[in-house]
Amino acid sequence: MTWLITGGAGYIGAHVTRAMTDAGERVPVVVLDDLSAGVPARLPAEVPVVQGSARDAALLKRVCAEHAVTGVVHLAARKQVAESVARPTYYYEENLGTLATLLEAVAEAGITRFLFSSSAAVYGNPDVELITEDTPCAPVNPYGETKLAGEWLVRAAGRAHGISTVCLRYFNVAGAAAPELADTGVFNIVPMVFDRLTRDEAPRIFGDDHPTPDGTCVRDYIHVADLAEAHLAAARRLSEGAVRGDLTVNIGRGEGVSVRELIKVIGEVSGDRRAPVVEARRPGDAPRAVASAARAAETLGWRARREVREMVESAWRGWLLHHGRRSGDRP
């Protein structure tokens, strides 16, 4: 089999690409990335990288034919919640328009395996202890809406064209398998706290009056290397023909960590233990969002192996590599 990985030079994409190329069976892959956020240097030298968009139907046709593609991992997407609120039409065009073009190319090429990068954002803010795959979906922002509609589109195309599909709903991704693969953006909580510390500012907590043990939001954090291994497990199931029709799976640890607990670990790892400042709650923040990981274990034979401290330590090494320390930083 040859797998096409869209967005394969990005933060998550590079980890998935490496997991698949490092697998015992040496799964051949080709990466398609517009390089708006991707970095080819993250990838093994032997991996072909095609620069371009998955919205380019002619390019998709050529890549699928030249590389004899038999399966697709679709990671390329716009994924910033605040930006999606400010630019909803852009997000719908980019995320759903691209997906529609890609699925048409997949059907035309006779490809029968498709793995879709989805998100826990499809659930919105459910008031449950553990979020299962059967928890009703009620996204609260355009980003989450495009992921949910993307799942619908993937399943409909699968039924229409005989494509076996898997949708993986990620929870909060952090960490790095190697420093050079670390997330260079400042959009998620771990790099956001790092950024505050390296600017000699205290971390921020948005609300400490939530109905949780310490009053701060509780989230399920997943190491990006575990997430990459989940993709490999799903691709193997698709390759083996073990997925008939469609499969939707949460990817998380099944354990909650509060924002205050996470900031404490970051302080221990970075050596900067200053107290966080508490600000007002942000609209729409769920008090608790933790995955049930049972279906992933049952259907993929996959469980997360890495703990939160390992996520933070690996992310901090990557942060220092890419950003360094600045004058005035604490040790």
Side-chain angles (χ1 to χ4, degrees):
M1 292 198 64
T2 298
W3 286 89
L4 169 65
I5 304 179
T6 70
Y11 165 54
I12 293 174
H15 281 87
V16 172
T17 301
R18 287 202 177 196
M20 294 184 74
T21 56
D22 289 347
E25 60 267 37
R26 303 295 296 175
V27 177
V29 303
V30 55
V31 165
L32 175 65
D33 199 303
D34 66 7
L35 302 186
S36 59
V39 180
R42 287 171 167 156
L43 302 175
E46 69 271 16
V47 173
V49 179
V50 179
Q51 183 174 356
S53 171
R55 294 193 73 175
D56 186 335
L59 177 62
L60 288 170
K61 183 176 181 178
R62 176 172 64 80
V63 170
C64 289
E66 289 182 358
H67 294 273
V69 172
T70 52
V72 173
V73 179
H74 182 46
L75 298 161
R78 304 299 172 189
K79 61 178 184 176
Q80 302 307 323
V81 168
E83 184 183 42
S84 80
V85 173
R87 305 180 66 189
T89 56
Y90 174 69
Y91 264 64
Y92 272 80
E93 289 171 356
E94 286 290 304
N95 289 356
L96 290 178
T98 298
L99 178 59
T101 300
L102 178 59
L103 287 167
E104 287 178 358
V106 164
E108 183 180 345
I111 296 167
T112 58
R113 302 166 182 89
F114 195 92
L115 175 53
F116 178 59
S117 164
S118 189
S119 168
V122 302
Y123 294 114
N125 298 330
D127 184 16
V128 295
E129 185 71 12
L130 289 178
I131 297 173
T132 75
E133 292 82 357
D134 297 321
T135 298
C137 293
V140 295
N141 53 65
Y143 167 67
E145 292 166 3
T146 65
K147 285 299 184 181
L148 181 57
E151 290 187 9
W152 296 341
L153 181 54
V154 166
R155 297 185 195 109
R159 290 191 297 269
H161 302 291
I163 304 167
S164 296
T165 65
V166 175
C167 296
L168 299 183
R169 293 173 173 171
Y170 312 167
F171 280 66
N172 298 68
V173 184
E180 63 271 17
L181 298 183
D183 190 359
T184 56
V186 186
F187 303 108
N188 300 316
I189 184 169
V190 172
M192 287 173 69
V193 174
F194 290 166
D195 184 58
R196 296 278 296 183
L197 296 181
T198 54
R199 288 190 286 114
D200 202 31
E201 297 175 0
R204 291 186 296 181
I205 289 176
F206 295 100
D208 64 352
D209 57 349
H210 293 276
T212 60
D214 66 13
T216 67
C217 293
V218 172
R219 295 291 182 265
D220 190 333
Y221 296 94
I222 178 75
H223 196 298
V224 67
D226 281 328
L227 176 63
E229 290 168 3
H231 282 76
L232 176 60
R236 283 174 169 162
R237 296 297 182 272
L238 285 166
S239 299
E240 296 162 356
V243 177
R244 300 293 182 183
D246 62 84
L247 175 65
T248 301
V249 184
N250 286 338
I251 302 299
R253 293 171 61 245
E255 298 177 12
V257 176
S258 76
V259 171
R260 192 176 292 279
E261 289 170 333
L262 180 66
I263 290 176
K264 181 176 184 291
V265 175
I266 291 173
E268 293 169 354
V269 169
S270 67
D272 190 330
R273 294 178 171 84
R274 75 184 77 192
V277 295
V278 178
E279 300 184 5
R281 290 190 191 187
R282 295 179 300 189
D285 270 350
R288 178 181 174 86
V290 180
S292 166
R295 184 179 293 181
E298 177 185 351
T299 61
L300 302 181
W302 172 89
R303 290 180 175 83
R305 298 186 292 115
R306 298 162 178 87
E307 300 295 329
V308 168
R309 189 176 187 90
E310 185 174 350
M311 297 179 212
V312 173
E313 289 174 343
S314 64
W316 181 241
R317 288 191 293 270
W319 180 267
L320 293 179
L321 174 67
H322 292 290
H323 299 272
R325 294 185 183 271
R326 305 176 189 178
S327 59
D329 289 349
R330 295 187 177 190

Tab-separated table of all heavy atoms in Angstrom, residues 173-228:
chain	number	residue	atom	x	y	z
A	173	VAL	N	-3.985	18.012	22.017
A	173	VAL	CA	-2.707	17.452	21.588
A	173	VAL	C	-1.553	18.306	22.120
A	173	VAL	O	-1.600	19.539	22.078
A	173	VAL	CB	-2.635	17.374	20.054
A	173	VAL	CG1	-1.345	16.693	19.610
A	173	VAL	CG2	-3.851	16.637	19.502
A	174	ALA	N	-0.502	17.640	22.603
A	174	ALA	CA	0.657	18.350	23.144
A	174	ALA	C	1.900	17.489	22.964
A	174	ALA	O	1.828	16.317	22.602
A	174	ALA	CB	0.447	18.678	24.625
A	175	GLY	N	3.064	18.075	23.227
A	175	GLY	CA	4.316	17.329	23.222
A	175	GLY	C	4.964	17.232	21.863
A	175	GLY	O	4.504	17.799	20.866
A	176	ALA	N	6.070	16.490	21.816
A	176	ALA	CA	6.820	16.271	20.579
A	176	ALA	C	7.624	14.990	20.720
A	176	ALA	O	8.175	14.705	21.791
A	176	ALA	CB	7.761	17.439	20.294
A	177	ALA	N	7.709	14.224	19.630
A	177	ALA	CA	8.515	13.004	19.651
A	177	ALA	C	10.002	13.328	19.616
A	177	ALA	O	10.829	12.528	20.053
A	177	ALA	CB	8.145	12.119	18.464
A	178	ALA	N	10.348	14.500	19.070
A	178	ALA	CA	11.718	14.999	19.026
A	178	ALA	C	11.634	16.515	19.011
A	178	ALA	O	10.663	17.081	18.496
A	178	ALA	CB	12.442	14.481	17.784
A	179	PRO	N	12.633	17.219	19.551
A	179	PRO	CA	12.544	18.686	19.623
A	179	PRO	C	12.289	19.358	18.287
A	179	PRO	O	11.534	20.335	18.211
A	179	PRO	CB	13.899	19.089	20.210
A	179	PRO	CG	14.323	17.905	21.012
A	179	PRO	CD	13.836	16.708	20.243
A	180	GLU	N	12.881	18.838	17.220
A	180	GLU	CA	12.710	19.464	15.910
A	180	GLU	C	11.293	19.314	15.364
A	180	GLU	O	10.904	20.002	14.411
A	180	GLU	CB	13.711	18.899	14.910
A	180	GLU	CG	13.576	17.433	14.601
A	180	GLU	CD	14.364	16.519	15.532
A	180	GLU	OE1	14.767	16.993	16.640
A	180	GLU	OE2	14.589	15.348	15.159
A	181	LEU	N	10.497	18.419	15.954
A	181	LEU	CA	9.120	18.207	15.500
A	181	LEU	C	8.102	18.989	16.328
A	181	LEU	O	6.904	18.886	16.091
A	181	LEU	CB	8.769	16.718	15.568
A	181	LEU	CG	9.589	15.766	14.707
A	181	LEU	CD1	9.053	14.349	14.860
A	181	LEU	CD2	9.581	16.188	13.249
A	182	ALA	N	8.567	19.795	17.273
A	182	ALA	CA	7.654	20.478	18.183
A	182	ALA	C	6.762	21.476	17.456
A	182	ALA	O	7.101	21.989	16.381
A	182	ALA	CB	8.448	21.192	19.270
A	183	ASP	N	5.632	21.751	18.078
A	183	ASP	CA	4.694	22.741	17.568
A	183	ASP	C	5.329	24.121	17.688
A	183	ASP	O	5.730	24.541	18.775
A	183	ASP	CB	3.401	22.680	18.389
A	183	ASP	CG	2.269	23.500	17.806
A	183	ASP	OD1	2.474	24.137	16.762
A	183	ASP	OD2	1.180	23.490	18.411
A	184	THR	N	5.429	24.849	16.575
A	184	THR	CA	6.032	26.178	16.607
A	184	THR	C	4.992	27.286	16.746
A	184	THR	O	5.345	28.457	16.884
A	184	THR	CB	6.866	26.431	15.330
A	184	THR	OG1	6.028	26.249	14.183
A	184	THR	CG2	8.045	25.457	15.258
A	185	GLY	N	3.709	26.932	16.699
A	185	GLY	CA	2.659	27.923	16.867
A	185	GLY	C	2.368	28.192	18.331
A	185	GLY	O	2.788	27.443	19.223
A	186	VAL	N	1.657	29.264	18.595
A	186	VAL	CA	1.286	29.623	19.960
A	186	VAL	C	-0.241	29.717	20.004
A	186	VAL	O	-0.825	30.785	20.167
A	186	VAL	CB	1.944	30.953	20.395
A	186	VAL	CG1	1.677	31.233	21.875
A	186	VAL	CG2	3.447	30.903	20.153
A	187	PHE	N	-0.881	28.559	19.832
A	187	PHE	CA	-2.338	28.514	19.763
A	187	PHE	C	-2.949	27.597	20.814
A	187	PHE	O	-4.120	27.735	21.147
A	187	PHE	CB	-2.786	28.055	18.368
A	187	PHE	CG	-2.257	28.906	17.249
A	187	PHE	CD1	-1.274	28.423	16.397
A	187	PHE	CD2	-2.725	30.188	17.056
A	187	PHE	CE1	-0.778	29.206	15.370
A	187	PHE	CE2	-2.238	30.984	16.030
A	187	PHE	CZ	-1.261	30.490	15.180
A	188	ASN	N	-2.168	26.647	21.321
A	188	ASN	CA	-2.662	25.697	22.312
A	188	ASN	C	-2.079	26.030	23.679
A	188	ASN	O	-1.090	26.766	23.799
A	188	ASN	CB	-2.302	24.271	21.903
A	188	ASN	CG	-2.920	23.915	20.564
A	188	ASN	OD1	-4.082	24.210	20.298
A	188	ASN	ND2	-2.135	23.298	19.690
A	189	ILE	N	-2.662	25.455	24.725
A	189	ILE	CA	-2.356	25.930	26.069
A	189	ILE	C	-0.883	25.764	26.455
A	189	ILE	O	-0.296	26.675	27.058
A	189	ILE	CB	-3.270	25.262	27.126
A	189	ILE	CG1	-2.985	25.868	28.515
A	189	ILE	CG2	-3.108	23.743	27.123
A	189	ILE	CD1	-3.992	25.468	29.564
A	190	VAL	N	-0.242	24.647	26.102
A	190	VAL	CA	1.144	24.453	26.532
A	190	VAL	C	2.066	25.501	25.902
A	190	VAL	O	2.786	26.206	26.630
A	190	VAL	CB	1.610	23.013	26.246
A	190	VAL	CG1	3.107	22.874	26.516
A	190	VAL	CG2	0.824	22.025	27.112
A	191	PRO	N	2.105	25.677	24.574
A	191	PRO	CA	2.957	26.744	24.034
A	191	PRO	C	2.505	28.139	24.447
A	191	PRO	O	3.341	29.050	24.559
A	191	PRO	CB	2.871	26.552	22.519
A	191	PRO	CG	1.668	25.708	22.285
A	191	PRO	CD	1.506	24.866	23.490
A	192	MET	N	1.212	28.333	24.719
A	192	MET	CA	0.761	29.647	25.188
A	192	MET	C	1.370	29.970	26.547
A	192	MET	O	1.788	31.114	26.792
A	192	MET	CB	-0.765	29.694	25.254
A	192	MET	CG	-1.427	29.763	23.891
A	192	MET	SD	-3.233	29.611	23.977
A	192	MET	CE	-3.650	31.174	24.763
A	193	VAL	N	1.441	28.991	27.436
A	193	VAL	CA	2.076	29.220	28.743
A	193	VAL	C	3.577	29.429	28.558
A	193	VAL	O	4.176	30.339	29.164
A	193	VAL	CB	1.790	28.058	29.707
A	193	VAL	CG1	2.585	28.230	31.010
A	193	VAL	CG2	0.301	27.976	30.020
A	194	PHE	N	4.213	28.623	27.720
A	194	PHE	CA	5.644	28.821	27.447
A	194	PHE	C	5.908	30.242	26.963
A	194	PHE	O	6.880	30.893	27.374
A	194	PHE	CB	6.128	27.842	26.374
A	194	PHE	CG	6.188	26.403	26.797
A	194	PHE	CD1	6.318	25.407	25.831
A	194	PHE	CD2	6.134	26.024	28.121
A	194	PHE	CE1	6.394	24.070	26.181
A	194	PHE	CE2	6.196	24.685	28.494
A	194	PHE	CZ	6.324	23.719	27.519
A	195	ASP	N	5.062	30.712	26.067
A	195	ASP	CA	5.245	32.042	25.504
A	195	ASP	C	5.146	33.108	26.582
A	195	ASP	O	5.928	34.062	26.602
A	195	ASP	CB	4.204	32.279	24.409
A	195	ASP	CG	4.383	33.612	23.711
A	195	ASP	OD1	5.472	33.855	23.153
A	195	ASP	OD2	3.432	34.422	23.717
A	196	ARG	N	4.189	32.959	27.484
A	196	ARG	CA	4.059	33.916	28.588
A	196	ARG	C	5.322	33.913	29.454
A	196	ARG	O	5.838	34.974	29.813
A	196	ARG	CB	2.848	33.549	29.447
A	196	ARG	CG	1.509	33.630	28.746
A	196	ARG	CD	0.933	35.002	28.695
A	196	ARG	NE	0.617	35.551	29.999
A	196	ARG	CZ	0.030	36.738	30.180
A	196	ARG	NH1	-0.287	37.480	29.136
A	196	ARG	NH2	-0.228	37.191	31.403
A	197	LEU	N	5.823	32.737	29.757
A	197	LEU	CA	6.995	32.647	30.625
A	197	LEU	C	8.222	33.256	29.967
A	197	LEU	O	9.006	33.961	30.629
A	197	LEU	CB	7.264	31.185	31.000
A	197	LEU	CG	6.182	30.482	31.827
A	197	LEU	CD1	6.590	29.053	32.131
A	197	LEU	CD2	5.878	31.243	33.111
A	198	THR	N	8.416	33.009	28.681
A	198	THR	CA	9.605	33.539	28.022
A	198	THR	C	9.496	35.040	27.742
A	198	THR	O	10.480	35.668	27.372
A	198	THR	CB	9.893	32.793	26.712
A	198	THR	OG1	8.744	32.806	25.868
A	198	THR	CG2	10.301	31.354	26.973
A	199	ARG	N	8.298	35.601	27.951
A	199	ARG	CA	8.145	37.056	27.903
A	199	ARG	C	8.099	37.644	29.314
A	199	ARG	O	7.722	38.800	29.494
A	199	ARG	CB	6.883	37.425	27.114
A	199	ARG	CG	7.039	37.176	25.621
A	199	ARG	CD	5.901	37.744	24.790
A	199	ARG	NE	4.673	36.965	24.910
A	199	ARG	CZ	3.556	37.399	25.470
A	199	ARG	NH1	3.502	38.602	26.018
A	199	ARG	NH2	2.492	36.631	25.508
A	200	ASP	N	8.509	36.812	30.290
A	200	ASP	CA	8.567	37.229	31.697
A	200	ASP	C	7.197	37.655	32.213
A	200	ASP	O	7.076	38.613	32.975
A	200	ASP	CB	9.593	38.353	31.895
A	200	ASP	CG	10.066	38.443	33.347
A	200	ASP	OD1	10.112	37.400	34.012
A	200	ASP	OD2	10.377	39.554	33.800
A	201	GLU	N	6.171	36.910	31.799
A	201	GLU	CA	4.811	37.171	32.239
A	201	GLU	C	4.240	35.914	32.885
A	201	GLU	O	4.609	34.795	32.520
A	201	GLU	CB	3.932	37.595	31.057
A	201	GLU	CG	4.375	38.890	30.407
A	201	GLU	CD	3.557	39.222	29.180
A	201	GLU	OE1	2.628	38.444	28.830
A	201	GLU	OE2	3.847	40.248	28.544
A	202	ALA	N	3.335	36.091	33.804
A	202	ALA	CA	2.735	34.954	34.491
A	202	ALA	C	1.732	34.247	33.582
A	202	ALA	O	1.084	34.886	32.745
A	202	ALA	CB	2.020	35.425	35.757
A	203	PRO	N	1.590	32.932	33.729
A	203	PRO	CA	0.541	32.216	32.981
A	203	PRO	C	-0.837	32.751	33.353
A	203	PRO	O	-1.028	33.293	34.444
A	203	PRO	CB	0.715	30.758	33.439
A	203	PRO	CG	2.059	30.691	34.064
A	203	PRO	CD	2.348	32.047	34.611
A	204	ARG	N	-1.787	32.557	32.440
A	204	ARG	CA	-3.153	33.001	32.692
A	204	ARG	C	-4.088	31.814	32.844
A	204	ARG	O	-3.971	30.818	32.132
A	204	ARG	CB	-3.643	33.884	31.546
A	204	ARG	CG	-2.956	35.223	31.475
A	204	ARG	CD	-3.582	36.109	30.408
A	204	ARG	NE	-3.422	35.552	29.072
A	204	ARG	CZ	-3.871	36.144	27.970
A	204	ARG	NH1	-4.524	37.292	28.048
A	204	ARG	NH2	-3.673	35.590	26.784
A	205	ILE	N	-5.021	31.943	33.749
A	205	ILE	CA	-6.113	30.985	33.917
A	205	ILE	C	-7.413	31.737	33.666
A	205	ILE	O	-7.657	32.791	34.280
A	205	ILE	CB	-6.112	30.374	35.331
A	205	ILE	CG1	-4.930	29.427	35.520
A	205	ILE	CG2	-7.424	29.631	35.600
A	205	ILE	CD1	-4.807	28.865	36.920
A	206	PHE	N	-8.229	31.213	32.767
A	206	PHE	CA	-9.500	31.859	32.461
A	206	PHE	C	-10.609	31.205	33.289
A	206	PHE	O	-11.189	30.204	32.895
A	206	PHE	CB	-9.803	31.753	30.967
A	206	PHE	CG	-8.809	32.517	30.114
A	206	PHE	CD1	-7.776	31.850	29.475
A	206	PHE	CD2	-8.920	33.886	29.974
A	206	PHE	CE1	-6.863	32.550	28.706
A	206	PHE	CE2	-8.006	34.596	29.207
A	206	PHE	CZ	-6.972	33.931	28.578
A	207	GLY	N	-10.822	31.771	34.451
A	207	GLY	CA	-11.877	31.284	35.317
A	207	GLY	C	-11.401	30.228	36.296
A	207	GLY	O	-10.854	29.203	35.875
A	208	ASP	N	-11.595	30.475	37.600
A	208	ASP	CA	-11.288	29.472	38.625
A	208	ASP	C	-12.518	29.165	39.464
A	208	ASP	O	-12.411	28.732	40.614
A	208	ASP	CB	-10.125	29.923	39.500
A	208	ASP	CG	-10.451	31.178	40.310
A	208	ASP	OD1	-11.522	31.794	40.082
A	208	ASP	OD2	-9.634	31.556	41.178
A	209	ASP	N	-13.698	29.380	38.849
A	209	ASP	CA	-14.953	29.122	39.554
A	209	ASP	C	-15.818	28.117	38.804
A	209	ASP	O	-17.046	28.110	38.937
A	209	ASP	CB	-15.716	30.433	39.761
A	209	ASP	CG	-15.998	31.170	38.457
A	209	ASP	OD1	-15.424	30.787	37.407
A	209	ASP	OD2	-16.787	32.136	38.479
A	210	HIS	N	-15.177	27.266	37.991
A	210	HIS	CA	-15.916	26.212	37.304
A	210	HIS	C	-16.268	25.098	38.306
A	210	HIS	O	-15.596	24.938	39.333
A	210	HIS	CB	-15.060	25.622	36.175
A	210	HIS	CG	-14.797	26.584	35.058
A	210	HIS	ND1	-15.672	26.793	34.020
A	210	HIS	CD2	-13.734	27.395	34.814
A	210	HIS	CE1	-15.163	27.679	33.174
A	210	HIS	NE2	-13.994	28.068	33.630
A	211	PRO	N	-17.287	24.311	38.026
A	211	PRO	CA	-17.662	23.202	38.917
A	211	PRO	C	-16.722	22.002	38.768
A	211	PRO	O	-17.117	20.913	38.330
A	211	PRO	CB	-19.087	22.871	38.469
A	211	PRO	CG	-19.126	23.254	37.025
A	211	PRO	CD	-18.249	24.474	36.916
A	212	THR	N	-15.453	22.217	39.112
A	212	THR	CA	-14.415	21.182	39.046
A	212	THR	C	-13.662	21.192	40.370
A	212	THR	O	-13.809	22.140	41.157
A	212	THR	CB	-13.429	21.457	37.886
A	212	THR	OG1	-12.814	22.735	38.107
A	212	THR	CG2	-14.151	21.472	36.544
A	213	PRO	N	-12.854	20.172	40.664
A	213	PRO	CA	-12.211	20.109	41.981
A	213	PRO	C	-11.414	21.353	42.365
A	213	PRO	O	-11.432	21.759	43.538
A	213	PRO	CB	-11.312	18.868	41.854
A	213	PRO	CG	-12.070	17.980	40.911
A	213	PRO	CD	-12.680	18.905	39.906
A	214	ASP	N	-10.681	21.979	41.424
A	214	ASP	CA	-9.929	23.180	41.786
A	214	ASP	C	-10.476	24.446	41.121
A	214	ASP	O	-9.850	25.505	41.174
A	214	ASP	CB	-8.434	23.015	41.486
A	214	ASP	CG	-8.104	22.903	40.009
A	214	ASP	OD1	-8.978	23.198	39.166
A	214	ASP	OD2	-6.960	22.529	39.681
A	215	GLY	N	-11.639	24.325	40.496
A	215	GLY	CA	-12.287	25.484	39.903
A	215	GLY	C	-11.848	25.825	38.496
A	215	GLY	O	-12.437	26.699	37.857
A	216	THR	N	-10.800	25.139	37.981
A	216	THR	CA	-10.338	25.414	36.624
A	216	THR	C	-10.786	24.304	35.680
A	216	THR	O	-11.096	23.183	36.108
A	216	THR	CB	-8.808	25.562	36.569
A	216	THR	OG1	-8.178	24.306	36.862
A	216	THR	CG2	-8.333	26.613	37.562
A	217	CYS	N	-10.802	24.615	34.399
A	217	CYS	CA	-11.281	23.647	33.405
A	217	CYS	C	-10.440	22.380	33.407
A	217	CYS	O	-9.223	22.426	33.609
A	217	CYS	CB	-11.240	24.274	32.014
A	217	CYS	SG	-12.407	25.625	31.771
A	218	VAL	N	-11.087	21.268	33.169
A	218	VAL	CA	-10.426	19.960	33.114
A	218	VAL	C	-10.451	19.472	31.667
A	218	VAL	O	-11.494	19.497	31.008
A	218	VAL	CB	-11.126	18.952	34.031
A	218	VAL	CG1	-10.562	17.546	33.837
A	218	VAL	CG2	-10.992	19.394	35.488
A	219	ARG	N	-9.285	19.035	31.181
A	219	ARG	CA	-9.164	18.586	29.801
A	219	ARG	C	-8.405	17.260	29.726
A	219	ARG	O	-7.682	16.882	30.641
A	219	ARG	CB	-8.430	19.632	28.954
A	219	ARG	CG	-9.169	20.959	28.804
A	219	ARG	CD	-10.408	20.800	27.947
A	219	ARG	NE	-11.111	22.070	27.745
A	219	ARG	CZ	-12.125	22.485	28.492
A	219	ARG	NH1	-12.544	21.740	29.516
A	219	ARG	NH2	-12.724	23.635	28.236
A	220	ASP	N	-8.554	16.596	28.594
A	220	ASP	CA	-7.870	15.336	28.298
A	220	ASP	C	-6.729	15.662	27.334
A	220	ASP	O	-6.968	16.095	26.203
A	220	ASP	CB	-8.860	14.367	27.646
A	220	ASP	CG	-8.314	12.948	27.525
A	220	ASP	OD1	-7.080	12.795	27.444
A	220	ASP	OD2	-9.124	12.013	27.501
A	221	TYR	N	-5.480	15.477	27.787
A	221	TYR	CA	-4.315	15.799	26.966
A	221	TYR	C	-3.707	14.524	26.407
A	221	TYR	O	-3.523	13.538	27.132
A	221	TYR	CB	-3.275	16.583	27.777
A	221	TYR	CG	-3.799	17.920	28.231
A	221	TYR	CD1	-4.383	18.068	29.492
A	221	TYR	CD2	-3.759	19.025	27.388
A	221	TYR	CE1	-4.895	19.293	29.905
A	221	TYR	CE2	-4.276	20.252	27.797
A	221	TYR	CZ	-4.839	20.375	29.040
A	221	TYR	OH	-5.363	21.581	29.438
A	222	ILE	N	-3.371	14.554	25.125
A	222	ILE	CA	-2.821	13.394	24.428
A	222	ILE	C	-1.480	13.765	23.807
A	222	ILE	O	-1.359	14.805	23.159
A	222	ILE	CB	-3.809	12.884	23.349
A	222	ILE	CG1	-3.244	11.703	22.561
A	222	ILE	CG2	-4.236	13.991	22.405
A	222	ILE	CD1	-3.257	10.422	23.333
A	223	HIS	N	-0.477	12.948	24.049
A	223	HIS	CA	0.843	13.193	23.453
A	223	HIS	C	0.752	12.987	21.944
A	223	HIS	O	0.147	12.025	21.471
A	223	HIS	CB	1.869	12.230	24.054
A	223	HIS	CG	3.293	12.623	23.819
A	223	HIS	ND1	3.847	12.719	22.567
A	223	HIS	CD2	4.284	12.965	24.704
A	223	HIS	CE1	5.123	13.079	22.675
A	223	HIS	NE2	5.409	13.247	23.962
A	224	VAL	N	1.373	13.892	21.201
A	224	VAL	CA	1.283	13.822	19.742
A	224	VAL	C	1.880	12.522	19.206
A	224	VAL	O	1.445	12.014	18.162
A	224	VAL	CB	1.938	15.061	19.106
A	224	VAL	CG1	3.442	15.073	19.340
A	224	VAL	CG2	1.612	15.163	17.621
A	225	ALA	N	2.859	11.944	19.895
A	225	ALA	CA	3.410	10.665	19.457
A	225	ALA	C	2.399	9.542	19.634
A	225	ALA	O	2.309	8.633	18.800
A	225	ALA	CB	4.704	10.350	20.217
A	226	ASP	N	1.615	9.590	20.708
A	226	ASP	CA	0.524	8.618	20.873
A	226	ASP	C	-0.524	8.812	19.783
A	226	ASP	O	-1.058	7.838	19.230
A	226	ASP	CB	-0.134	8.785	22.248
A	226	ASP	CG	0.672	8.135	23.367
A	226	ASP	OD1	1.331	7.114	23.105
A	226	ASP	OD2	0.639	8.660	24.493
A	227	LEU	N	-0.833	10.056	19.477
A	227	LEU	CA	-1.794	10.347	18.416
A	227	LEU	C	-1.310	9.787	17.080
A	227	LEU	O	-2.088	9.191	16.324
A	227	LEU	CB	-1.993	11.864	18.304
A	227	LEU	CG	-2.885	12.365	17.177
A	227	LEU	CD1	-4.314	11.868	17.347
A	227	LEU	CD2	-2.860	13.891	17.132
A	228	ALA	N	-0.028	9.951	16.795
A	228	ALA	CA	0.525	9.414	15.546
A	228	ALA	C	0.405	7.894	15.513
A	228	ALA	O	0.082	7.304	14.470
A	228	ALA	CB	1.985	9.843	15.399
